[in-house]
């Protein structure tokens, strides 16, 4: 009998042939110094930051526009540059040029700090995302726990935005948002715990490594337990709610609350909130793929002599796979957004507390029993 | 705590059972006044609704209108009868043809003109095309209010076909001035009928698609079912008409109950909800009535195309009077607009070419007056859902 994995976090890793994550790129960067200035230490956070910016520009905004255009039988941006590729750059330039307005009646410190805190909350979680076997900002032994908790800081930022705006609609949006984010953290965390329990570790790299093997996709956690896929779906739904994405976008509910907590924002402050939304979409998608879909592991199996898995593994391939998996879920989120109408605030709470949380708890218990006695 | 407003438990809670929340009377809370509009995306224009809320629960909703008041009735008194027609277009700008039709009928009644049979068919075809276009906007923006963005653009794509047809017919896309006293401004262009028939054939499957995407969506039903129930007696007492009234289960359609033009010769059904999907009188019922009325309008257009008399030497201006100077008298003519009964009460003093008085009965104005009744005790999101299901056009509310 295995000991309950949660209580002894690093005791066991589940499956065969763990690929060693050396984090060698990070280590190399850490020691890089130019004239005593730790350039490498600055580069480590800069890489995800640049990644977010590029991703938000091209997959986030441009991709969302093109995807929504495809879904809605439109063309989408096509005038600015080839296939409209420069459209998002033009938008950014416009946002930068805008006057930085703070409403006269607003609570200025809160109003200015709100977007920053939202962005920092979303960005800080990127520290523990394993982009490859050799690159992770900080390989914490409580990585998942850190990601879950740092994202909660966003709720504070949202409340600051809503209160600081001194607008009743913004306040409504903020209050709704905080209630939503706090509530949905519970099913999300329980679903995450299912994944953590299966891997036997809270460290992102260890979770990923526990899912590697020659059979590729068959080693992924989602196929290791009969309830893992349910946990994955619950986490995905909760992630939609935590990112304030449709159909749970009631905090910003365009047609009801105008734009919710960021009604009064414009220019770069607005861009910051916007960027944070896309950043947290990618972040939750990556956490989902780390927990249940093997992170940076290749999904391709070795079939006899055709060693597809070996050929598609390695640090660079790892980065490719995790970004691909992350983008896949980001695109699913966009697809969901452009298909479904919006929940009402009480229906949202009903779904969280009376449907998702009980199911998640049942799955949790079942998964624990499965891990102890079957697997 | 301000006890000026009495909180009454919602009837829909017991009916749907899914949304249970209690307003805590013991907490020391205050009511908050919230202005929805005149710049608000869900008010479909420049309506201002003053909401008194307890948290998110609306205690009282008061619509304030008049932001788009353009003195239609007073203007009409200083214009010749023909010149009033473009102004009627601008009342309900989404169903200009139907409003024109009602006004023109009033003047024809005053003058006692017989309109050529072919003209009547042409009028009904364009009016029904307009009805489809208007319902399309209503359904699309309703989806938008609930948060479904995609159906909006799918529907707008199909609406474009109607607007193109009508543009081809008379040069304007929304405000036509097409129906004249005694006739119409232009004959149907060659092949127009064929194109309309093609549109009818093209559009039927698209309505099914729209129903599958929007109306049968579980979230959409959750959001609209049992919200803002309008009992039939209340609807009648307030004078509601159109889909509002039919949504409450009252089979009342002026095309059947007070037939005008060539509607008596045409077979179609008056749509009322059957209560299987929706609770009769709720927002979903009103939405369903609009959806199924599109099918009925397509049926009417098809029959009109089949029955319309052909005449190669047809002159649409044959019965148009050169100078309209009706004898003294007063007349009321009404027609079934997409939004309900629109009526024109015209008084002529017999001395001039201008109406002495022209009173318009606007369907939206009357329908909107039920809002306080419906909104009470619902959430703010529900007020949006209810307002959308009333389907107001502020141009007609304020005139």
């Amino acid at each position: 009998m295995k000991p309950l994995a949660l209580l002894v976090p690093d005791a066991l890793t589940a499956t065969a042939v763990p690929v060693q994550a050396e984090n060698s790129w990070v280590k190399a960067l850490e020691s890089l110094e130019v004239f005593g200035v730790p350039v490498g230490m600055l580069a480590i956070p800069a890489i995800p930051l640049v990644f977010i910016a590029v991703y938000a520009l091209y997959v986030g905004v441009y991709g969302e526009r093109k995807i929504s255009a495809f879904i809605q039988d439109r063309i989408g941006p096509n005038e600015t540059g080839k296939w409209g590729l420069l459209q998002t750059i033009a938008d950014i330039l416009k946002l930068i040029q805008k006057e930085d307005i703070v409403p006269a009646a607003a609570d200025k410190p809160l109003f200015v700090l709100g977007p920053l805190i939202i962005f920092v909350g979303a960005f800080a979680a990127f520290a523990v995302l394993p982009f490859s076997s050799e690159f992770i900002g900080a390989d914490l032994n409580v990585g998942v726990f850190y990601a879950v908790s740092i994202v909660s800081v966003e709720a504070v930022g949202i409340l600051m935005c809503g209160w600081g705006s001194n607008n009743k609609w913004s306040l409504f949006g903020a209050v709704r948002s905080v209630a939503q984010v706090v509530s949905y953290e519970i099913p999300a965390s329980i679903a995450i715990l299912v994944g953590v329990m299966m891997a036997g570790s809270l460290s992102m790299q260890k979770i990923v490594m526990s899912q590697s093997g020659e059979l590729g996709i068959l080693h992924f956690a989602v196929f290791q337990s009969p309830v893992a896929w349910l946990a994955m779906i619950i986490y995905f739904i909760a992630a939609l709610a935590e990112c304030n994405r449709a159909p749970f976008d009631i905090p910003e509910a365009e047609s009801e609350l105008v734009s919710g907590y960021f009604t009064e924002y414009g220019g770069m402050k607005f861009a910051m909130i916007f960027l944070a939304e896309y950043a947290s979409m990618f972040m939750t998608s990556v956490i989902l793929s780390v927990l249940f879909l093997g992170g940076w592991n290749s999904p391709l199996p070795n079939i006899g002599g055709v060693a597809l898995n070996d050929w598609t593994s390695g640090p660079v391939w790892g980065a490719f796979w995790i970004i691909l998996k992350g983008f896949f879920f980001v695109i699913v989120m966009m697809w969901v957004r452009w298909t479904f109408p919006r929940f009402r605030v009480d229906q949202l709470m009903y779904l969280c507390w009376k449907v998702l949380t009980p199911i998640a708890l049942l799955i949790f218990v079942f998964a624990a029993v499965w891990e102890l006695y079957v697997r | 705590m301000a006890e000026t407003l009495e909180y009454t438990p919602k009837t829909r809670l017991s009916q749907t059972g899914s949304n249970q929340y209690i307003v805590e009377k013991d907490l020391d809370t205050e009511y908050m006044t919230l202005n929805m509009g005149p710049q608000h995306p869900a008010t479909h224009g420049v309506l201002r609704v003053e909401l008194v809320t307890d948290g998110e629960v609306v205690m009282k909703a008061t619509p304030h209108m008049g932001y788009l008041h353009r003195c239609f009735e007073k203007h009409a008194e200083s214009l010749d009868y023909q010149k009033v027609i473009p102004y009627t277009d601008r009342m309900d700008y989404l169903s200009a043809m139907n409003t024109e039709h009602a006004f023109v009928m009033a003047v024809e009644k005053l003058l006692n003109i017989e309109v050529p049979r072919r003209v009547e068919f042409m009028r009904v075809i364009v009016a029904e095309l307009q009805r489809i276009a208007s319902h399309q906007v209503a359904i699309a923006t309703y989806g938008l209010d609930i948060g479904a963005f995609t159906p909006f653009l799918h529907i707008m794509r199909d609406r474009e076909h109607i607007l193109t047809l009508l543009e081809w017919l008379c040069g304007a896309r929304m405000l036509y001035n097409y129906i004249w006293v005694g006739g119409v401004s232009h004959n149907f262009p060659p092949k127009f009928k064929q194109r309309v028939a093609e549109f009818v054939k093209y559009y039927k499957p698209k309505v099914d698609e729209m129903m599958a995407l929007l109306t049968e969506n579980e979230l959409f039903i959750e959001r609209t079912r049992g919200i803002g129930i309008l009992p039939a007696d209340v609807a009648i007492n307030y004078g509601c008409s159109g889909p509002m009234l039919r949504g409450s289960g009252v089979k009342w359609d002026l095309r059947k109950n007070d037939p005008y033009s060539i509607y008596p010769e045409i077979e179609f059904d008056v749509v009322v909800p059957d209560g299987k999907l929706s609770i009769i009188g709720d927002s979903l019922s009103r939405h369903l009535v609009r959806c199924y009325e599109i099918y009925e309008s397509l049926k009417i257009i098809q029959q009109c195309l089949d029955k319309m008399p052909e005449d190669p030497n047809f002159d649409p201006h044959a019965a148009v009077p050169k100078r309209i100077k009706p004898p003294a008298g007063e007349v009321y003519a009404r027609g079934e607009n997409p939004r309900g009964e629109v009526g024109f009460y015209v008084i002529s003093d017999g001395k001039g070419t201008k109406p002495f008085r022209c009173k318009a009965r606007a369907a939206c104005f009357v329908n909107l007056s039920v809002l306080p009744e419906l909104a009470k005790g619902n959430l703010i999101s529900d007020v949006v859902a209810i307002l959308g299901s009333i389907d107001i056009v502020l141009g007609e509310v304020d005139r």
Side-chain angles (χ1 to χ4, degrees), chain A residues 73 168 176 256 338 344, chain B residues 19 33 40 56 150 157 382:
Chain A
D73 208 353
K168 285 171 184 169
R176 280 181 178 191
E256 295 159 21
W338 298 109
R344 201 174 56 218
Chain B
N19 33 21
T33 308
H40 188 281
E56 288 234 2
T150 301
R157 173 197 65 198
D382 294 340

Side-chain angles (χ1 to χ4, degrees), chain B residues 269-286:
Chain B
D269 296 324
V270 178
V271 182
V272 281
D274 57 3
K276 275 179 197 155
L277 189 62
S278 61
I279 297 164
I280 289 178
D282 64 356
S283 301
L284 185 55
S285 304
R286 297 190 273 276

Side-chain angles (χ1 to χ4, degrees), chain B residues 29 38 58 152 185 207 225:
Chain B
T29 57
V58 173
F152 173 79
S185 72
V207 191
R225 190 170 185 276

Side-chain angles (χ1 to χ4, degrees), chain A residues 66-246:
Chain A
K66 278 292 187 192
I67 288 169
S68 68
F70 172 71
I71 292 173
Q72 295 165 351
D73 208 353
R74 296 184 285 120
I75 298 169
N78 66 339
E79 292 288 328
T80 325
K82 184 83 172 162
W83 308 307
L85 277 171
L86 295 178
Q87 184 62 50
T88 40
I89 308 243
D91 289 345
I92 292 288
L93 285 178
K94 185 202 78 173
L95 286 173
I96 291 171
Q97 285 174 37
K98 276 195 160 185
E99 189 190 346
D100 196 27
I101 296 172
V102 179
D107 189 333
K108 200 172 176 194
L110 292 184
F111 187 82
V112 174
L113 272 180
L116 295 178
I117 289 184
I118 294 176
F119 183 73
V120 167
F123 177 60
F126 275 68
V128 291
L129 298 189
F131 275 97
S132 157
S133 57
E134 309 302 333
F135 188 86
I136 181 168
D139 192 6
L140 297 183
N141 58 353
V142 286
V144 179
F145 183 64
Y146 166 81
V148 171
S149 43
I150 200 78
V151 171
S152 315
V153 175
E154 273 187 58
V156 178
I158 289 172
L159 203 54
M160 283 165 83
C161 287
W163 183 263
S165 296
N166 197 6
N167 175 328
K168 285 171 184 169
W169 297 103
S170 297
L171 185 60
F172 262 122
V175 169
R176 280 181 178 191
S177 181
V178 170
Q180 174 180 330
V181 171
V182 169
S183 304
Y184 272 85
E185 243 153 48
I186 288 158
S189 308
I190 297 173
I192 284 177
L193 278 183
V194 173
V196 168
M197 205 155 54
M198 290 167 69
S201 172
L202 282 165
S203 152
M204 287 282 196
Q205 291 288 36
K206 289 230 170 68
I207 293 172
V208 178
M209 280 186 289
S210 74
Q211 299 174 46
S212 62
E214 291 201 330
L215 290 176
I217 195 166
L218 291 178
H219 289 290
F220 291 179
V222 70
F223 299 112
Q224 298 297 318
S225 166
V227 289
W229 63 275
L230 262 172
M232 186 173 96
I233 290 173
I234 288 178
Y235 181 69
F236 182 71
I237 296 172
L240 282 176
E242 281 195 56
C243 300
N244 295 333
R245 290 289 290 186

